[in-house]
Amino acid sequence: MSAVILAADGVNVSQNVGFGIIAAIMIFAALNVVTTKNVVHAALWLVVVLSGVAAQYILAAAEFVAISQVLVYIGAVMVLFLFGIMLTRAQIGKEAGLNNTGWVLGIPVGLVLFGLLAWVILDAFGDDLLPDRGPAPTVMLSDQFLGIYLIPFLAISFVLLAAAIGAIVLARKD
Amino acid sequence: MSVFLRDYLTVVWFGLAALAVGGLLLGLAALVRPSRPNYDKGIAYESGVDPVGIGWSQSQIRYYVFALLFVIFDVEAVFLFPWAANIERYGTFGLVTMLIFIVLLLDGLVYAWKRGLLRWV
Amino acid sequence: MTNLSDRQQLSYIASQAADARLNVELETEGMTLNIGPQHPATHGTLRIICRLDGEQVVWAEPSCGYMHRGYEKLTEVRTFPQVTTLVNRIDWLGSFANEVPFILAAEKLMEIEAPPRAQVIRTILFELSRIANVTLFLGDLGVQMGAITPVFLAFRDREYVLNLIEGATGGRFHPNFDRIGGLKDDLPKGWIDETRQTMVKLRKFCDIIDDLLFGNEIFQSRMRGIGIIPADIAKDYGLTGANLRASGVDYDLRRDQDIALSYDMADWKVWTHPDGDSWARCWVRLQETREACKIVEQLLDQIPAGPIMTKVPRIIKVPAGEAWVSTENPLGEMGYYVVSKGDLGPFRVKIRSASFNNISIVPWALKGVYVPDIITILASLYFILGDIDR
Amino acid sequence: MGLVDRGRMPAPLTKLFNMSRSYSLWVYQWGLACCAIEMGAAFGSPRYDVMRLGVIPLPASPRQADFVCISGTVTDKMAPAVRRLWEQMPEPKYAISMGSCANCGGPYWDSYSVTKGVDQIIPIDVYIPGCPPRPEALLEGVVLLQQRIKNEDMAAKWRGDEFTTQQATRERERVAAAPAIAAPARPDREPIVVGGGPIE
Amino acid sequence: MIQLAIEIPYWAQSVLRVLGGLVAVLLPAGTIVYLFLFKMMSFMQSRLGPMEAGPYGSLQLVAEVGKWMQKEDLAPDAADKSIFKIAPLVVLLSTFLLVVVIPFGPDALFTNFEVGIFYGLAVASVSVLGILIAGWASANKYSLLGGLRAAGQLIAYELPMVLATLGVVIQAGSMNLQQIVVAQNTGEIFGFGGVGNPYILTQFIGFVIFMIAVQAELTQAPFDMPIAESELVSGYMTEYSGFRFLIFFIAEFATAGVFALIASVLFLGGWGIPFDWFGWDTIDSVDNWMNLAGPLIMFTKMLVLTFIIMWVRFSFPRFREDQLQTFAWKVLIPLALANTALTAILKVAF
Amino acid sequence: MPEKPKVPGLFKGLGVTFGILKDTVVNGANTVQYPHEKEAPPIRSRGVIALHEDNCTACMLCARSCPDWCIYIEGHKQLAPARRAGGKPRQVNHLDRFDIDYALCMYCGICVEVCPFDALFWSPEYEYSEPKIADLLHDKEKLGEWMETVPEAPELEAGAQKK
Amino acid sequence: MAPLSDATDTEEQPLALPGDGLREGIIEDLRRRIGEGVVDTHITANDDLWIRVQTGAWRQTAVALKAAGFTHFSFISGLDWMPSPFGKGEEDPTAEPKEPDTEIRQGVTGGETRFQVFARLVDLDRHVGVTIKADVPDEPFAVDSWSMVFAGANWHERECHEMFGIGFNGHPDLRNMYLPTDFEGYPLRKDFPLLARMIKPWPGIVDVEPMPVQPDVTDDGTAGEGSASDEPGAARGESEADAEPATSKGDE
Amino acid sequence: MLAVNFLLLGAALFAIGVYGVIARRNAVMVLMSIELILNAVSLNLVAFSLMTGAVDGQVFALYVIAIAAAEVGVGLAMVLMIYRNRKTIALDELSEMKG
Ligand code: SF4
Ligand code: SF4
Ligand code: SF4
């Protein structure tokens, strides 16, 4: 990306380029997640998708969310996933019977769904530009969840607590 | 492009640099190193005898429990940091809220602890 | 590239098949873990097959024989001097201690006894070899527990002892110094003073180990209450030496039998420990090292003048008969049951080695412990492969 | 893939590589019998401290090892494991046979369960006499090995020839010239006689 | 950094930064391995360590790299080749991404995130993935157990680390490392500003917890159960040979260096020296020579911290697996939370 | 384990290691840097067997009592000049071959001990590793060469009694 | 942390050796318990005690002795009383082979069969040990197992089975523990040959070519010295020893 | 930079996730697909917040992450429990086993 592009004002080419690349990778990875024949591979492709999402957050100037994405999703949830997988004897190599018998059904459904959504989206937000804002300072976030969204915030903590206890009890019932 | 994005571009460069370094050295090594595979080389190392058995037991489940607790507290950290960064701003109110928050999550840990779920076996 | 000879190929396939059979028995829910034959944890080539449930052992079976060298057969085709030098290699850390009971048995058959000077020197060397043996155990203990420093110190200070042994006998490891009716040679000049200084060094080493390992809370937390062996079980399995004394049984052949060694000339103490856990075993060994230093220092002052060899014919024919002599070796009771038919060599020698009994308790002791504790317990039981497999 | 085995390695580089190989020899912790303790003394005892020579006894698994010191008695039951562990080491790799037992059975030359010499199983680069050899003897063996590595013909080593150094080649010729010595020297070295077994 | 941006074009900056990053990762790694792993360990055992390769074995590292390059690159047949091969790179990647946030001087920094430390913790947690898949893909039970153990331990000790940093963040009132450094060098303890306010003084508990956590994150004794030689041969690295093993090796010690750097930024005042020694008041007024002095200061502090890490490593036996977890969950985490709460309360109170 | 390790033990350990570190830095390690400096083994150390050929009468005693059968001796009778002037020439055994296979020898010393004519001696030398195992078979020339390295037997500790 | 027990005082321990009276008592006690099981006994003065029991009473003996206080198990092994038909492989082929004696002579406390099992038990309190022997009949070639009386006997019996082929009735598993699984034969039996010794020629064979005979040297007193005549080495060794006392090397 | 980019990307991920949920038989796989869907959603949220300039969207994205973590935790726990009892995690088999 040369100084020309950097200088170019209005629609920011470099961002679009970046977006395009990342998006392509994400789609490819996502497709792999749902088609690959090995659970661990699927998990790793999912990691790619998630990092892609994080990158998109950055592009969308949501710095804190992006990093939370990395910390929680990649650092924690995926580890959880891998543990879960390895504890259920993920074998190395191709694994048969990961798909339902009627998996073909999924393709049309997916396509139709995507078509509908795309139509709606294009219809609604035809071509309005995203403002090129800097990153939202973290304090704004904390303002929100310590302000108007306080109740859902506490609710979430309740949910987490319930999840923790429930999951532990489930897992350790022996 | 904003400074903010450039910084993150730097991150990308570093990531690529890591892969490049690793890849480059591996590539060089590939030019030099010999490769003479044979059967014994291929089998897993198990103190010199044939690998015994496959799979492993499900009572490794405890790993899962700890991972789960880790996730929960990780999420907690996500919410703690913004508050911690500008703590004066929220004063006592934020303090109380966060204490409630922490205590709530600690309950999970304490519960597991009391139920003896943190024991290793 | 050379190849396996047919015989080895055969034995290879067969033994693997045997493993497979074993695995079929083992391979149920749990995971089977192989420790050894090549494994840093087994000082030597012991192989232990564990069936794990998670990190917990539900079934463990040592499979020995990787160091079986057929001593008992070889003794039948060797003359007495040749056997003496062969049995050095059974417990290769305390080699001199292996010769003594065999020589004593032969002497018992010939109804002769070594002169007092020889007896004292024998006793000193015996204790020196005990020190050489146990110091290495203490160092290795650290390695097993993950502390890498002690083993280097152990080797450092062990060198001094080996120097002494070599200076007197000519062999660092395998002295072959005992002769029927005495010793091969007398001590070289200056040996006694050197020994005194070395003993000081070794006491210091014991203190260092005390600080570095035994005083360390992590170490204690890993040893205390692990692998408890009650006294009656220990007797049942025929445990001897520190393993037995750590279970509270006060029995030490150095004191409890009268034998042509001069332990009664020294004032020393038999340490026991009531707990019977890994900690106790290691602790008793540490104390015994200190005692050994004490014994050596006392005996050094009391070496009587005189010959070191009684008059024996140049070519020794041991009269027919059977004799059993056992001594308190570094690893425990080591005994030889010598059957002679009046030839140049023994007719049959049954070697009762300590580690064989000590390790036979492993299946019992490993039930239900964690994987890391396997190492702790094996280390504290302290076996030497040559002593197990012979 | 490799430039080396196709002999495309420029000479100075070869020298460099040989140097680096000779000065970084990771040996993996494997003791067999009494000699193992002397090996341990050589590795562990501050008095000898083989690490000075760049022999680093860190790795615990053969995958990261460069050379192995067969220290002690190899029994027929152990032989397959020895062979396999050797095979599992990555090329280029070296082996030192330490002590009479490993050399050719030593005190157990007539035993029914001992392999008469580890070189029936794996190729040996340096033989160290002794029972047990002093740690210094092992150090000398290591130095010898390092010299061999330093003027090693990489291509030959990479191809896995049995003899890869000039010394070795000369040795071979010398021995071939005077078989009279070698022949009666070790009549029990034919692989037929391994341990006991019934007489047919 | 702004000034730099003006002076030289962006691509040149990036190249410079990447090169700087390489140095910042590899130099500590090399130093630690040679200085501590080879020399200090040997000295602590009254040995000499490498002597032959170069004077006092100074060329040992060169020999190592050269040798590892020639080693055959094995992957067990049963292994999942692709994953087996990329796993080391993942670990290395995490290290490189970690070094991005560290400031070495007023302008000598790679990036200047508002949420710097938070970012650091996030990318640090990526290496767990690498270790897990390495253990799984090796198709070897030692590796698998080692991998599970390592992952379990890493996540267990990542929490104390995160919570320990919270205290610092509260005191500095920012997640930006640069500001944390400034805050430490301009701050004052109870009115006494002579030495600034390195948080090791006010956050001592936090510091101790952080260092313990670092020790565990690096799987050094007494927390080296996952790679304990005597039980699981080398843990998740058992099957790795040749250069990939070296990458693990480098990554391990590079991470040690980077963590030490971060710790010195968080608790030891980073690159800075108390500003009013030279009469600076804000970051902008700092003289430019700090851009050169800064890295040196950081390096020194890094050496001190790694010395402690290694010292402990060579002195202690290792914890057992369950003791590890118990220690993390029942001691460190509650302690860290209490520390955070205390700091918060004090901060709000005064 | 006790939740938090009590401090003293741990710190004592640290103290020990640091003490050694200091000691090594100050007083230097007690390392013998092998290739450059060699330490002398004790006099009696059994390194390698030296043959004093003139003393050997090929009486085969050593070969017979060697547990490893690793001494190979051949000889033939021949006439030697008389001891005293005017006496008849004596018939002695001349040694044609005297090999010791050090790859097999177990260094027990029995041969040296039984030799009735003081033809065999122990030398503390240990540096004779070989890349070819055949070279570990030392013939009588090579065994003769070891003679220079044979030290004097040490004098004995007080109270010893020569038989 | 359990308190570290100090050692019990060494002084008050009976260092006096358990006299033969005690051993008599043991025999009496045993006779009372297993009656006719005891076949023969042997006491070496102030030293040791052998008891030979009937094969049938083998396990019974263990139980009885354990009850009698012999709680410490030392070992079990076997004995093959047949002289080896192969010797040491150290015969001089030039000398005419000696007739190998095949007569089976049992050791102390006698016996009827070629194979015997023998074990040793110790009484840790009275510091006295006893060696028990029993014949192993050829049919069935087995004795009862002790492994349920003394747990430690398990491995010893496995070893004994592997080395002699003796069976142990009621033993949990008589798997081999030492030898490779394809190993045939029972090494410790006397008729198990050591092939290496068979094949390798003994270097001790006198290998000194006699001189082409010359008339003038017939009865030379000095000729005998060190000459390798064909008398057996040992005897000559002695004569050498007497002829020349070993000198200087101070190793005699 | 156009808003639809993000939205379309989100839609695509969403659709793929749905396909996964339908097509996959292995419970863990299904959970992964659900993760895809959730990420699609929060991507949109962030995009909207960028459009409107208010950070509500980001806050909700955070909430979604938190919820997702909880959901995965419980989901996997159930999977593990089922696996321990039934030795399979194939969903249809489970439904058969119900009877
Ligand atoms: S050569 Fe000697 S010291 Fe070495 S293993 Fe064999 S018997 Fe033991
Ligand atoms: S030392 Fe022993 S083995 Fe070696 S040649 Fe002499 S007698 Fe034979
Ligand atoms: S015993 Fe002595 S004299 Fe006789 S052959 Fe051997 S070396 Fe020569």
Side-chain angles (χ1 to χ4, degrees), chain C residues 82 85 176, chain F residues 46 49 62-63 65-71 100-102 104-112 114 120 122:
Chain C
Q82 291 174 342
T85 179
N176 182 25
Chain F
R46 300 202 290 264
I49 301 171
C62 51
S65 52
C66 168
D68 286 359
W69 293 9
C70 62
I71 305 184
I100 295 184
D101 182 357
Y102 283 112
L104 193 51
C105 170
M106 70 192 276
Y107 296 81
C108 59
I110 292 181
C111 51
V112 179
V114 296
L120 293 178
W122 274 116

Side-chain angles (χ1 to χ4, degrees), chain C residues 250 270 337 347-348 357 390, chain G residues 7-8 50 77 156 159 190:
Chain C
D250 181 23
V270 176
Y337 189 94
F347 179 78
R348 158 125 170 81
N357 285 39
R390 300 197 295 292
Chain G
T8 58
W50 282 264
S77 186
H156 286 265
E159 179 191 2
K190 288 288 181 184

